[in-house]
Each structure stands twice: as structure tokens, then as C-alpha cells.
């Protein structure tokens, strides 16, 4: 087959690329975007600033940020015919499947964004997807709820505009709820990039064939949907609800999670890279307490989550496997408190991860990375002759 091939299932020990975007130290639980710590960014930055930082490598000046936002707003309209595609889905369709479909449909309505080679054309495609994706996400939710599909308002910020598109009731005026705005801004920052995770690797490998940005993002959405990846934030809440329905006996579910014959896993726990606390989980756990306090919500499943975490951190099975809460363990509790339905949790993850996918796709293209094409160890049949059907 030419050359030695080292088998590495799940690419656990394979560096797929050189990247200057995000730094992870799994042992120490360190996460930095372009050298800035996630703790500082979550505390002091806004999501659109972090989008700019991830994609272009520097925190923007005020004029740069204003131009970036204006360029995005100018591209935020979605062709009215896209609503006909949305109409074709049953209300019960999972939003991740709808979003992946609508994102790839954008290609048909934006043919100039298909083959982009110059930085200038990449920028045009980037502001288009940053402008249209929040609209597609909000419309997917509104369609499911039987609410009108429209836009936010010109004066609003990027995240505020998304919240308005999602939640504005037809009759009532929109008033920004600062608690919801601040919580979502922080959550989107915490989800914005995470080096070569499954969905980002998908975006990079699809883009490495020089497929366009939109279709590469659509592939990333598909990969993120899996319950082992971004889909875990929905699975965590469903698990906590099941434990609550079952009487709140966390010990019973801990036993199931350790039983090799039981497919049940403690969703929101464990991580390929973090063998320590996921720094995002620490921040989100604190934010969950604050948001529920601020909104005056007493959610029993937060107590169940904390009980599970405490038990797992003291359980030898989890300790020896270095299984800690990950980004998905507490995020759903905040989404729930903000009135976002569980089927929309992973789309929220996608909205946060969009700038990371874009930044990684752009880096891969500017670095002129070769097309991704791993090898294999062949373990199938050796050569054999064809047997006519009458002799089989
Ligand atoms: C994300 O890669 C990223 O950066 C992803 C992400 C991002 O920002 O992009 O951080 C987002 O996807 C977070 C992860 C969300 N997924 C979940 O919460 C699902 C539950 N977690 C697991 O399925 C698992 O921990 C993974 C998928 C996250 C990691 O899987 P690995 O690295 O392939 O590890 P593994 O499945 O081989 O597990 C190692 C051992 C096994 O036991 P042994 O065979 O050694 O006896 O730990 C056990 C596993 O059975 N284990 C768990 C467990 N996770 C691992 N046992 C019970 N519950 C769990 N959650």
C-alpha cells in the first residue's frame, strides 16, 4: 500500500493540522482563544468581539467592530423562498436536521459564495453566514412554535437581535432582558471554538476539498448533532428529567453509568482532551446559579445535576477515568431557565460554534492545507475470483 500506516481510531493521537486559533491544555483545564483566556473573555468580552478575534486573530477596535457588525447586518436577509423549504418540514422535525438543510440550501441562494479563493471573497461569505445563520436558527424555532418569521431590528446588537427574533411575541413590544442577554452572550462565547473537535474537524475536512464555506458549515452542524458531541446538551437535560421522574435516585443512575452491560452514559461527563475540569463547565455552573437566582427560578434538576457531579467526583470509576463535567453538563439548565426548549439546545451550541468553524475553515484555506484523505489498515478478504450466481 506504500508507506507505513499507524492506526489511530478517533484520531486520539493524531495532530491533523497546525493552528493558531485555540489552545487547550487538557491536563490543566486551560482554554484560550488566540492567546486570551476563556475566563477573561467570558467575563469581559462580547460574543461578536470574540467572533472577530477568532476569525481575524486580534480583538477589534471600535471602528473595526462597527464595520464588521454593519457588514453582517447588511447580509442578514434570507431569501423569502427559503421559507418554502422550511414549510416542507413537519413541525416535529428536529431543528438540527432543519438547520443543516437550510444552511446547505443557502448555497443555492448565494452562488457567489460557493467557490471562494480570495480573502476578499472569503470575507463576503463569512459576513453572509454570520448574518443569516441566526435568522435560520430563529426561524427554525419560530416555525416549530407556529409563530411569524421575521427579523429583529436594526438598532440591536448581534445577540440581542437574535433573542428578539427568537422570542418577540407578535402583539407585545420587545424589551431587552439584560439577564437573558448577558447569559446568552457568555454561553455563546464559551462555545465559540474548541480546536479540532469532531464537528470542527468535519468542517475542515469538507472544506479541504474546496467545497464552499456554507456547505462545510452544514456538515459541521450534522456532526455536532450527535449525542456524543454537541447533542449531549439536550441528552443531559433528558437524563436529568428521567432521574427526576424516577424519584431522583442519582445512585441508581451512577450504577447504570458504570455497568458495562448498560449502554447508559452519564451525559455531560467525560472528554477526549480534558482530564481535569472543563474550564467552561466551571464558568457555566456559576452562571447557572446566578441566572436562576436573578430570574427567581428554583429548578430541581439543577440540584440533581449538582448531586450527580458530587457523586461522580468521589466515585473511583469516574476518578480513575478522569471523568469530569464538560461544557454540556450545565449549559442546558441555563437554556431552560431562559425559556429555550430542549430541542433548540444543540442549535444554540451551533450558533456559538459558528465563528470557530468559520475561523478554522478560513485558516485551513489560507494555509493551503492539502485535501484530507486518511489511510487505513485493510483487514478484509484477500483476492478471490468472481462466482456466477448459478454457482453461489
Ligand atoms: C463535546 O472534543 C471536544 O472538544 C468536544 C466539545 C467541544 O467543545 O467541541 O468539548 C463538546 O462534545 C463535549 C462532550 C459531550 N459528550 C458527552 O457528554 C457524552 C458523554 N461522554 C462520553 O460519551 C465520552 O466521555 C466522550 C465522547 C466525551 C469522550 O469519549 P472518549 O474520549 O472516546 O472516551 P471513551 O468513550 O473511550 O471513554 C473512556 C472510558 C470508557 O471506559 P473503559 O472502556 O475505559 O472502561 O471512560 C468511560 C468509557 O466507558 N466513559 C464514561 C463516560 N465517558 C467515558 N462512562 C460513563 N459515562 C460517561 N459519560
Amino acid at each position: 500500500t506504500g508507506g507505513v500506516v499507524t492506526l489511530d481510531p478517533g484520531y486520539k493521537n493524531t495532530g491533523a493540522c497546525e493552528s493558531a486559533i485555540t489552545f487547550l491544555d487538557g491536563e490543566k483545564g486551560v482554554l484560550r482563544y488566540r492567546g486570551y483566556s476563556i475566563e477573561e473573555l467570558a467575563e469581559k468580552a462580547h460574543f461578536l468581539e470574540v467572533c472577530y478575534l477568532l476569525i481575524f486573530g486580534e480583538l477589534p477596535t471600535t471602528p473595526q467592530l462597527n464595520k464588521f457588525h454593519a457588514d453582517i447586518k447588511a447580509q442578514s436577509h434570507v431569501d423569502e423562498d427559503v421559507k418554502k423549504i422550511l414549510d416542507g418540514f413537519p413541525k416535529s422535525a428536529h431543528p438540527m436536521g432543519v438547520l443543516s438543510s437550510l444552511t446547505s440550501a443557502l448555497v443555492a441562494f448565494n452562488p457567489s459564495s460557493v467557490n471562494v479563493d480570495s480573502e476578499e471573497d472569503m470575507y463576503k461569505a463569512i459576513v453572509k453566514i454570520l448574518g443569516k445563520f441566526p435568522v435560520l436558527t430563529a426561524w427554525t424555532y419560530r416555525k416549530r412554535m407556529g409563530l411569524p418569521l421575521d427579523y429583529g431590528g436594526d438598532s440591536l446588537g448581534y445577540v440581542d437581535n437574535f433573542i428578539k427574533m427568537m422570542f418577540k411575541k407578535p402583539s407585545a413590544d420587545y424589551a431587552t432582558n439584560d439577564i437573558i442577554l448577558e447569559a446568552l452572550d457568555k454561553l455563546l462565547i464559551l462555545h465559540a471554538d474548541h480546536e479540532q473537535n469532531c464537528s470542527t474537524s468535519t468542517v475542515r475536512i469538507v472544506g479541504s476539498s474546496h467545497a464552499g464555506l456554507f456547505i462545510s458549515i452544514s456538515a459541521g452542524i450534522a456532526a455536532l448533532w450527535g449525542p456524543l458531541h454537541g447533542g449531549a446538551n439536550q441528552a443531559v437535560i433528558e437524563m436529568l428529567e428521567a432521574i427526576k421522574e424516577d424519584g431522583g435516585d442519582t445512585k441508581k443512575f451512577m450504577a447504570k453509568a458504570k455497568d458495562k452491560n448498560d449502554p447508559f452514559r452519564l451525559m455531560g461527563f467525560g472528554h477526549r482532551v480534558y482530564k481535569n475540569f472543563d474550564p467552561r463547565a466551571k464558568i457555566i455552573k456559576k452562571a447557572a446559579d446566578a441566572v436562576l437566582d436573578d430570574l427567581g427560578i428554583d429548578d430541581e434538576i439543577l440540584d440533581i445535576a449538582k448531586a450527580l457531579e458530587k457523586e461522580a467526583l468521589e466515585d473511583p470509576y469516574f476518578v480513575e477515568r478522569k471523568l469530569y463535567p464538560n461544557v454540556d453538563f450545565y449549559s442546558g439548565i441555563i437554556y431552560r431557565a431562559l425559556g429555550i426548549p430542549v430541542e433548540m439546545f444543540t442549535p444554540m451550541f451551533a450558533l456559538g460554534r459558528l465563528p470557530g468553524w468559520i475561523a478554522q475553515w478560513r485558516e485551513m484555506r489560507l494555509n493551503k492545507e492539502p485535501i484530507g484523505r486518511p489511510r487505513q489498515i485493510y483487514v478484509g478478504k484477500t483476492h478471490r475470483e468472481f462466482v456466477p450466481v448459478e454457482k453461489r
Side-chain angles (χ1 to χ4, degrees), residues 114-135:
V114 180
N115 294 316
V116 288
D117 291 313
S118 71
E119 272 203 70
E120 188 196 348
D121 288 346
M122 284 183 195
Y123 182 80
K124 287 177 188 162
I126 287 168
V127 293
K128 276 185 182 176
I129 189 77
L130 282 170
K132 299 176 196 304
F133 193 76
V135 177

Side-chain angles (χ1 to χ4, degrees), residues 172-186:
D173 289 336
Y174 175 77
T176 299
N177 177 321
D178 289 332
I179 295 169
I180 293 181
L181 176 58
E182 195 186 322
L184 260 190
D185 200 66
K186 183 175 287 196

Side-chain angles (χ1 to χ4, degrees), residues 194 228-229 265-266 268-269 271-272 280 321 326 353:
H194 214 236
L228 294 186
H229 190 13
R265 283 201 151 185
L266 206 55
F269 260 80
H271 198 277
R272 174 62 58 72
R280 301 167 298 177
R321 288 171 178 78
N326 58 48
R353 187 51 53 87

Side-chain angles (χ1 to χ4, degrees), residues 83-131:
K83 291 180 180 175
K84 294 178 187 153
I85 302 171
L86 192 47
D87 289 342
F89 286 97
K91 274 201 174 64
S92 58
H94 194 288
M96 285 298 274
V98 176
L99 255 183
S100 181
S101 309
L102 295 185
T103 302
S104 54
L106 280 185
V107 178
F109 293 91
N110 298 274
S112 64
S113 303
V114 180
N115 294 316
V116 288
D117 291 313
S118 71
E119 272 203 70
E120 188 196 348
D121 288 346
M122 284 183 195
Y123 182 80
K124 287 177 188 162
I126 287 168
V127 293
K128 276 185 182 176
I129 189 77
L130 282 170

Side-chain angles (χ1 to χ4, degrees), residues 204-245:
R204 282 185 86 119
I205 202 162
V206 169
S208 72
S209 73
H210 289 197
L213 175 60
F214 298 175
I215 203 74
S216 302
I217 298 290
S218 173
I221 297 167
L224 186 71
W225 192 2
L228 294 186
H229 190 13
N233 62 11
Q234 173 174 346
V236 166
I237 295 299
E238 290 166 346
M239 171 186 75
L240 296 173
E241 288 281 13
I243 295 173
K244 180 181 154 197
E245 290 310 306

Side-chain angles (χ1 to χ4, degrees), residues 234-293:
Q234 173 174 346
V236 166
I237 295 299
E238 290 166 346
M239 171 186 75
L240 296 173
E241 288 281 13
I243 295 173
K244 180 181 154 197
E245 290 310 306
D246 188 76
D249 179 1
T250 49
K251 290 199 181 330
K252 175 177 163 186
F253 284 81
M254 284 292 291
K256 282 168 64 67
K258 296 184 286 186
D259 178 355
K260 284 297 164 216
N261 300 319
D262 190 327
F264 175 79
R265 283 201 151 185
L266 206 55
M267 301 311 276
F269 260 80
H271 198 277
R272 174 62 58 72
V273 177
Y274 288 125
K275 299 309 171 192
N276 196 328
F277 241 95
D278 181 333
R280 301 167 298 177
K282 276 187 194 168
I283 300 169
I284 295 174
K285 179 181 176 183
K286 236 188 289 174
D289 277 329
V291 167
L292 268 62
D293 280 351

Side-chain angles (χ1 to χ4, degrees), residues 147-160:
L147 290 167
L149 313 180
D150 56 18
Y151 293 89
D154 290 343
S155 61
L156 296 171
Y158 188 75
V159 179
D160 201 0

